[in-house]
Structures are given as structure tokens and as C-alpha cells.
Amino acid sequence: MMGAIWYWIVAAMLVAYVVLDGFDIGAGIVQLFISESEDDRQMVLRSIGPVWDGNEVWLIAGGGTLYFAFPLLYASAFSGFYLPLMIVLWLLILRGLGIELRMHVNLLVWREFFDGCFAFSSALLAIFFGAALANVIRGVPIGDDNFFFLPLWTNWRVGPNPGILDWYTVIGGFLALVALAVHGSLYVALKVERPLHDRAVRFARLLWPALVALTVVSLVATIAIRSSTLGNYTRYPVAFVIPLGVLASLAGILIYCRSERVKQAFQCSCAYLTLMLVGAAVGLYPALLPSSTDPARDITIAKALSGRYALSVGLIWWGLGILIAIGYFVFVYRMFSGKVRVEAGEGY
Amino acid sequence: MDALLLHRIHFAFTITYHYLFPQLTMGLALLIVALKTLAVTTNRPVYHDGARFWARVFGINFLFGVVTGVPMEFQFGTNWSQFSRVTGGVIGQPLAMEGVFSFFLESAFLGLFLFGERRLSKWGHWWAGFLVFLGSWISGFFIIVTDAWMQHPVAYTLLPDGRFELNSFTGLLFNPWALLQYAHNMSGAVITGAFVMSATGAYYLLEGRYTEYGRLFLRVGVTAGIVFSAIQIFPTGDLHGKYMARQQPVTTAAMEALFKSEIGAPLVIMGQPDVVHQRIDNPIVVNRLLSFLIYGTPTAEVRGLNDFPREDWPTNIPLLYYCYHIMAGLGTWFVLLMAVAAFLLWDGRLFRARWVLWPLMLSFPLPYIANTAGWMTAEIGRQPWLVYGLLRTQHGSSQNVTAGNTLFTLLGFMGMYALLSVLFVVLMFREIDHGPGKELGPPVESGAPVPAA
């Protein structure tokens, strides 16, 4: 029971991270495509400026909670995915610099450099996060000692000894790239005035067919390479509402984009990301990290769970802390609600 | 280089670099709250602009602290996976709490503090600044709790498979080591903030620019500087040292380069430890002072390294000795300099005393060195243990991550941080050059020359 609670707590924190920081990353991916002027770029940055750092905290807090609740998973997965994680850390550094330093020096080369940092790191972050999730679903060659080490790539095939990147995880990476680009476009559209608003909506619509195609391909590929992900679904058929919800939210994105109800379209995009992740979590449960060689070596909740006392205390402070944190988020998003404008002198 | 050494350098390099930023932001946060309080209670523009200036500096430092801080948590898992596996049941707790209680708070209100002054009331903005301060100090607390548990493990049960389980939440959070270390560390952070603020003020006065702000920064910086430089030595440093001498006597012996147990042990002020021949070259010592400092009586016996098995000695005794002596020596300089400056401030002569403004300006890097040396004393002194007395360093690193991969990412971080350093220096020089705002017209001090319009 305790294990299930913490499994869903960590999953919820990662979902919060993807939905919230997802639109920051998405804004980074699309900013070069939808901006036509310096003012446009500033507006994109202003739309995420006061919130991106708080959104990124969900990753840090989620990682800390993972360490706390499932130390073995934290130890095994983080060391096993050593190289991609380090690259993600470097990209997060570049992304933070790209967002925050751009406006500090009024030189065209300086601004373009950081625009480039922001776009490059955001796109690669999306690809790496998607590939990471695909790695977890595909499974990794866990040894007897519960540890493994994956190179970045081997022969690009999904076999017993895969690399971080193979054809399946590359699909996952591109899916994440497109999904977050759509997500970010819709968020930017919500926050800015025309004509940038129109270009952002148009860009989301342009990507929509690719998003649908990649979603379907990835679902089919997942079943093909790892049919056991269906286990929980056949056991509890009610879970099939999740993929149905995914399709409905995909449809919603297009329908609301067409009728210019961007807020609803953005909400559909949030629902899409949430349901995709929840669907994956349902498919994995109760494994945390499946083995690609032998199901007995899966790192499961039972194997990795922390001590009961610590987890019980944790429930109290976590519940309290997250309530307060949600309060902050509501407060901050209200303070910065509405459209952003380019005007001098906001902030320092 | 073997993998273990590379994992150690990897963590040491990234944490040392990272802590250059939080030590300033934590210290500065307190001083900004002080400036904001002056600003909202008096409504004088110089306080408002001064607070805004330091908020800008804070913002840049906070950004660098965030981007270099994210890798720290991840490295527990990537480079120290065996350590994480066995200790997650205990120190996962404070690390998760740091994220939940501190980072959300800081990030939420930093945005409001930096971008929201027009959207908030005067006191609303004060609260945003205060909550950023609170968040950064909570963050420091949870990190210290984590480190203190490694220094002085408490509140745990050791399971047969080698894992540690927490058995007392309050025991962990109120580890006596943590409370002492926290007080000493936070006071050290305020010293960094106070010296940076004083140095900036001194620079403005020496250069004759932004002089009204220069005087304000000196008043706030020197006041905080003398108070916290004193607190740093007594009581926080004194108590921490005494507690350490009882809990980690072999570390204390190595820090002081006391090779043989002695009744009435001397304090080595200077000298070079020679571990091979177990002696100090060119020593300058004060007889019986070490016994007095630790036990309150000059005749007490202090145990030397000869009382402990060699495999429990800290692995790099000369480095530990130097770190400790550099920290203590600089701490003494801080008190002396700030005492002179505070006296002149009180006496009304500081702003014209160039012979004091010069050392104040030049001393701003020293608290960074002292804080770094202090942390190195703590961490090198803990060796050869990761968890003192329970888990040796060699058993904690990631066995599945090879030396080649570790060196690759270490070099990557070095390159990345070289870029960061260049950007940081450029940005800080620009901020200080731009100054706290427009020159506020003629200085208000009577008798000062009125600049041409």
C-alpha cells in the first residue's frame, strides 16, 4: 500500500514537471519559428520568464522524492543512464542561461547566442526526456546486482543489450519533441497578442498531424516490443479509458485550435501529456524499471521501497509541503495572468 | 587516475563551484531584507534603488546557483550510486524536503521579487523578498542536515543488507552536529554577502561614483560584517570545533597536525606538516592553547594521530591542515578588518579613510576562499569515510560507471563552467559599472562638492 502511494506520488510529480516545464521547453523549441521580430522573441520569453524556474523545481523535487522513496531505483537508474543524464544536466544549464541572460546585454550577437542556446537546449531536452521514458518502458539489461550501464547507442536495435538510443527510443524522443512543441505553441498563444498569437496557433496546427501519427506509431511500437505493458490493461479493462482519453484530447487540440478557443486547446494538450504519462505508469506498475532480459530482475516497488517509518513521516510533510507549493503556484500564475506585453521597465 | 578518484574530483569540483553562488545569495538575501526594510519604512529613494541593485546582483547569482545546483542532487545517483542505495532511506528525507519546502518557495517568490514590484504593494514586495530569504535559508538547512548525517550519523538503524533506515525524524533534523554546522555555515554566508557589499561600496567611494549608495552599502556591509565575523569565531566556530574534537578526534588531530598525544597540547599557528616524519617544519606555536580551546583547561590531554589506527586517518592530512588554517587565518583577518572599519564608521571617518576602503575593496574574494576552505576541512576531514565510521568512501561510488565515462563528464563540466565563469564575470562587472541607478543628484552630505549639472 505504502509502495503504491509513493509510486503515484512520484508519478504525479513527474507529470507536473512535464506539463509545466513542458511548455517552457516547447516555447524554446518554437520561438525561432514563430517569432518575426525582436519584440516577438521578448514576448515569448516574457510569457515563461517568471514561471520557468518554479516549473523546473518539479524535476528537482520529484528527483528528491524518488531518492527518498525508492533509493535503489534512484541509484540504479541514475548511474545506469549516466551519460544521457549528464547531457540533460548540461542542457538544463544552457536552457537556464538562454532564458535569463538574453536581456542582460543589448548586443545582437549576445541575444542571438542565447536565443540559440535556448532553442538548441530545449529541443534536445525534449528528445532526451522522450527517449528516457521510452528506455524505461522498453527495459534495460539489469544485472544480478540490480545495476546496469547503458551506452548512448549500440546497434540501434531493440535487443537484450540496447543503447539509450535505438529506433524505439528515437520515436519516443521525436514524439516528445513534437508534443512539447505543440504544448509550448499553445501556451505562448495563450499569453501573447496577435499577430504572434496567430502564428503560434498556426504552428500548433501545422504540427498536429505529426503528433497524431507519432502517438499512434509509438503506441503500436510499445505493444510490439513489450506486450507485457498491456498486462494491467487486460486485467483492468477500465484502464482503456486512458488511451481513449489520449485520442479525445488529441482531437480536442485540433477542434479548439480551429475555433480559436486556445485556452481549451491548451487544456487538451495538458490532458494529452498527463494521460500519456499516466498510461505509461499504469503499464509499468508495479515495476519501476523493467529488465530487458529477465522479468525477475525488474526493479519493482517492493525491491526498491524505503523504510516504512520514513515513508509514513514523509506522507505527512509531503502532503503539507505540496499543498503549500500548489498555493504558491496558484498565487504566482494569478499575479502574472493575462497577456504579456513588451514594455520597458517591467522588473529590473 | 582510477574511477574512485575521478568520482571524488567530479563531486568536489561541481560542489565547490556551485557553492560560490549560494554562499552569496544566502548572505545577500538577509542584507537585501535589511535594505528593503529601510526602504519601505523610510521611503527614501536611495534605499529603494540600493535594494533593487542588490536584487539584480542576487538574480544573476541565483541563476548561476540554480543551474549549477541541479547537477548536485543528480550526482548522488549518477556517481555515488552505492552510497545512494544504502543511505537513501535516511538522507533522501532531507533532500526531498529541500525540494518541497525550499525550492518551490524560492522560485515562486524570486519571480515576484524580481519582476513584480509594480504588481505588489510596498509591503507585498517586502514579503516577496523575505520569502526568498526564508527559502534560501531553509534550503541551506536541509543540505546541512544531509551533510551532518554523513559527518555524525544519528537516528538510523543499520539493516543486515547494509542499508540504513531512519528511525527518528526529529533526531535527524535536530542532529546536534547539524545545528552547529548550520549556524557556522550561515554566518559564513552572511560574511560573504557583507564583504561583497562593503567592497562594492568601497569601490564606489574610492572611485567617486554613486557615492551616496557607496556609503549606504558600507554602512550595511560593515555592520553585518563585524557582527557575523565575530559570530563566526565565537560562539559558532568555537562550539563546532569543540564538538568535532569529541566526535571526530582523529580529524581534529589531523587538522591541527598533532602527531602525538599531548597533555597541554600546543596550537600550531603556522608551519608545514611533514606526514612522513610526523613533525611540523618551521612551526610557530602557542603552548597549551589547543588543550585550552578544546577542553577549557590548558592541562587537558589532546589525543594525537598516534592514538588512532592509520587506516582511519584522513587521507590527505597536509591539505586538510592547510584548509583549516586558511579558514581560521582568514576568519581572524575578517574580524580585524571589520573591527577597524566598524570603529571608523561609528566615528564617522570611514567614508574618507582610503587606507581602510582599499583593503575592504580588495578583501571581497577572501570570504569565498574561507568558506570553501571551511567546507574542504569538513569534507576532507571526514575521509576516509562517506558516512563517518560506517561507510568508507571507496564503497560508495558507482561501480558501473567507468573512469573513462567519469572523466568525460568531468571535462564536460569543466568546459561548461569555464563558459559560466566568463559570463558571470562579464555580467557582474556590468552590474557594478551600471551602478544602483542614476546618480541621485548632488550628494546630501554637507560640504561635499556639488557636481556640475
Side-chain angles (χ1 to χ4, degrees):
Chain A
M1 186 60 198
M2 194 60 98
I5 292 173
W6 283 99
Y7 180 88
W8 288 107
I9 281 180
V10 172
M13 293 180 89
L14 294 180
V15 168
Y17 173 70
V18 172
V19 169
L20 291 171
D21 205 26
F23 64 68
D24 303 325
I25 292 172
I29 299 169
V30 303
Q31 53 134 358
L32 292 182
F33 299 102
I34 60 174
S35 305
E36 284 180 357
S37 66
E38 171 62 24
D39 280 1
D40 288 351
R41 288 194 184 158
Q42 286 196 27
M43 288 218 278
V44 172
L45 273 187
R46 273 169 202 272
S47 69
I48 61 168
V51 295
W52 75 269
D53 180 30
N55 296 340
E56 190 181 293
V57 170
W58 284 98
L59 180 69
I60 318 302
T65 308
L66 181 71
Y67 182 23
F68 160 67
F70 304 107
L72 174 64
L73 174 67
Y74 185 82
S76 172
F78 279 42
S79 58
F81 293 134
Y82 184 85
L83 288 175
L85 262 175
M86 289 290 171
I87 293 170
V88 162
L89 293 173
W90 299 338
L91 293 170
L92 285 172
I93 293 174
L94 280 183
R95 197 269 299 250
L97 299 180
I99 296 174
E100 291 290 327
L101 296 188
R102 179 182 195 278
M103 297 308 291
H104 273 277
V105 178
N106 192 22
L107 287 175
L108 184 61
V109 285
W110 176 279
R111 292 198 307 263
E112 284 191 345
F113 174 75
F114 287 104
D115 285 339
C117 277
F118 183 33
F120 170 81
S121 57
S122 297
L124 277 184
L125 275 173
I127 291 173
F128 268 94
F129 284 140
L133 184 64
N135 267 278
V136 172
I137 294 169
R138 180 204 58 205
V140 292
I142 299 170
D144 280 333
D145 61 351
N146 293 316
F147 284 88
F148 66 96
F149 186 87
L150 278 191
L152 279 178
W153 60 79
T154 51
N155 52 9
W156 302 88
R157 284 196 208 124
V158 180
N161 283 306
I164 298 288
L165 297 175
D166 57 34
W167 65 263
Y168 174 72
T169 60
V170 168
I171 293 176
F174 280 107
L175 173 59
L177 179 69
V178 174
L180 295 185
V182 170
H183 194 53
S185 301
L186 293 173
Y187 178 78
V188 171
L190 204 54
K191 295 295 290 180
V192 302
E193 309 271 10
R194 288 161 202 277
L196 181 57
H197 166 96
D198 295 336
R199 285 199 297 275
V201 174
R202 216 178 308 137
F203 199 73
R205 282 180 61 178
L206 184 74
L207 287 176
W208 187 83
L211 179 60
V212 175
L214 279 166
T215 305
V216 173
V217 169
S218 76
L219 290 179
V220 173
T222 301
I223 295 164
I225 64 149
R226 194 173 183 80
S227 53
S228 56
T229 37
L230 278 178
N232 283 331
Y233 287 91
T234 46
R235 221 164 297 136
Y236 309 101
V238 65
F240 278 107
V241 292
I242 297 169
L244 289 178
V246 166
L247 296 177
S249 45
L250 277 176
I253 292 174
L254 185 67
I255 293 165
Y256 287 121
C257 271
R258 281 198 172 153
S259 58
E260 265 302 314
R261 279 183 284 178
V262 176
K263 191 173 177 191
Q264 283 80 357
F266 177 68
Q267 284 165 349
C268 283
S269 173
C270 293
Y272 167 80
L273 292 172
T274 306
L275 290 170
M276 286 291 278
L277 292 170
V278 169
V282 168
L284 279 172
Y285 187 89
L288 297 166
L289 183 62
S291 158
S292 59
T293 50
D294 175 6
R297 288 180 177 174
D298 288 1
I299 293 182
T300 57
I301 293 177
K303 260 191 215 172
L305 196 63
S306 260
R308 202 170 177 78
Y309 168 77
L311 293 173
S312 314
V313 178
L315 279 183
I316 299 169
W317 62 250
W318 189 88
L320 186 74
I322 287 298
L323 272 183
I324 301 173
I326 290 171
Y328 302 149
F329 271 78
V330 171
F331 181 63
V332 168
Y333 278 82
R334 284 215 171 158
M335 288 301 296
F336 294 101
S337 66
K339 304 266 185 192
V340 291
R341 277 178 195 82
V342 174
E343 54 186 78
E346 174 99 27
Y348 304 146
Chain B
M1 281 190 278
D2 65 340
L4 175 65
L5 182 62
L6 284 165
H7 284 303
R8 290 182 61 191
I9 296 173
H10 204 283
F11 203 92
F13 171 71
T14 49
I15 193 73
T16 303
Y17 191 83
H18 167 64
Y19 194 61
L20 295 176
F21 305 105
Q23 63 176 294
L24 181 69
T25 51
M26 290 190 299
L28 207 49
L30 180 70
L31 303 183
I32 291 175
V33 170
L35 282 173
K36 275 304 284 185
T37 310
L38 288 171
V40 292
T41 49
T42 66
N43 226 358
R44 284 183 53 201
V46 61
Y47 294 139
H48 278 292
D49 285 341
R52 286 180 196 124
F53 171 77
W54 288 106
R56 286 196 294 273
V57 172
F58 182 94
I60 295 170
N61 277 273
F62 188 88
L63 172 72
F64 281 75
V66 167
V67 297
T68 58
V70 176
M72 299 323 305
E73 184 192 84
F74 283 73
Q75 277 179 73
F76 281 89
T78 51
N79 297 75
W80 296 93
S81 60
Q82 296 300 333
F83 166 78
S84 300
R85 182 177 66 84
V86 296
T87 61
V90 180
I91 60 173
Q93 187 102 249
L95 287 177
M97 290 182 82
E98 186 193 23
V100 170
F101 286 101
S102 158
F103 293 155
F104 282 125
L105 179 65
E106 274 183 309
S107 59
F109 289 97
L110 183 68
L112 275 173
F113 184 60
L114 294 184
F115 303 111
E117 190 168 1
R118 290 182 182 185
R119 294 167 194 250
L120 293 161
S121 68
K122 224 168 51 172
W123 280 103
H125 194 241
W126 184 90
W127 273 104
F130 179 79
L131 290 171
V132 171
F133 155 72
L134 189 68
S136 69
W137 281 51
I138 292 175
S139 167
F141 179 71
F142 285 118
I143 288 301
I144 295 280
V145 165
T146 306
D147 184 69
W149 187 80
M150 295 164 67
Q151 295 280 358
H152 181 56
V154 293
Y156 68 90
T157 314
L158 185 53
L159 301 181
D161 62 359
R163 287 185 300 130
F164 297 93
E165 246 183 45
L166 183 69
N167 63 26
S168 165
F169 182 64
T170 48
L172 175 69
L173 290 190
F174 301 111
N175 182 351
W177 188 294
L179 303 181
L180 291 168
Q181 195 182 355
Y182 184 62
H184 193 55
N185 184 70
M186 300 317 282
S187 163
V190 180
I191 292 175
T192 299
F195 270 78
V196 168
M197 192 175 278
S198 308
T200 310
Y203 166 68
Y204 286 150
L205 287 194
L206 286 170
E207 190 61 38
R209 299 171 65 198
Y210 309 114
T211 47
E212 192 178 356
Y213 299 103
R215 287 192 291 270
L216 170 65
F217 297 161
L218 277 168
R219 280 204 300 277
V220 176
V222 169
T223 308
I226 183 61
V227 170
F228 284 89
S229 297
I231 290 177
Q232 189 68 0
I233 293 177
F234 190 86
T236 67
D238 176 57
L239 289 173
H240 196 4
K242 284 182 168 138
Y243 193 72
M244 187 166 188
R246 284 160 180 81
Q247 304 299 330
Q248 295 186 357
V250 60
T251 306
T252 298
M255 279 159 56
E256 307 281 3
L258 186 69
F259 291 103
K260 292 185 185 58
S261 299
E262 247 181 277
I263 294 173
L267 185 77
V268 179
I269 306 290
M270 258 187 215
Q272 297 78 41
D274 177 348
V275 178
V276 177
H277 299 101
Q278 308 218 356
R279 63 169 190 229
I280 308 256
D281 294 338
N282 317 311
I284 301 176
V285 301
V286 180
N287 284 330
R288 287 190 279 278
L289 185 56
L290 184 59
S291 291
F292 175 75
L293 286 177
I294 297 176
Y295 296 106
T297 157
T299 52
E301 183 184 13
V302 180
R303 293 163 77 196
L305 284 163
N306 64 330
D307 261 7
F308 303 93
R310 267 213 177 229
E311 70 266 22
D312 291 352
W313 288 14
T315 33
N316 194 337
I317 290 172
L319 184 58
L320 173 60
Y321 166 94
Y322 287 123
C323 287
Y324 168 64
H325 281 77
I326 288 169
M327 172 192 79
L330 289 176
T332 311
W333 166 247
F334 300 156
V335 172
L336 292 177
L337 177 62
M338 281 297 177
V340 172
F343 172 76
L344 292 175
L345 179 68
W346 170 77
D347 201 33
R349 284 185 288 162
L350 176 64
F351 302 142
R352 279 167 285 127
R354 294 183 78 87
W355 63 279
V356 181
L357 296 180
W358 264 104
L360 274 176
M361 182 177 83
L362 292 179
S363 287
F364 84 87
L366 302 181
Y368 288 99
I369 296 172
N371 273 304
T372 304
W375 269 105
M376 287 176 74
T377 306
E379 303 305 290
I380 297 169
R382 196 193 59 228
Q383 302 300 329
W385 306 96
L386 272 180
V387 182
Y388 200 76
L390 296 169
L391 179 69
R392 284 185 185 265
T393 305
Q394 74 222 51
H395 299 139
S397 65
S398 296
Q399 310 294 330
N400 48 338
V401 179
T402 60
N405 280 306
T406 314
L407 184 58
F408 174 72
T409 57
L410 174 61
L411 293 173
F413 271 108
M414 286 178 165
M416 183 67 87
Y417 287 180
L419 169 70
L420 260 61
S421 304
V422 173
L423 292 173
F424 181 78
V425 169
V426 168
L427 290 167
M428 288 309 293
F429 270 93
R430 280 177 60 90
E431 281 306 335
I432 289 171
D433 188 46
H434 280 180
K438 297 166 196 73
E439 295 270 7
L440 284 184
V444 288
E445 195 180 77
S446 59
V450 178

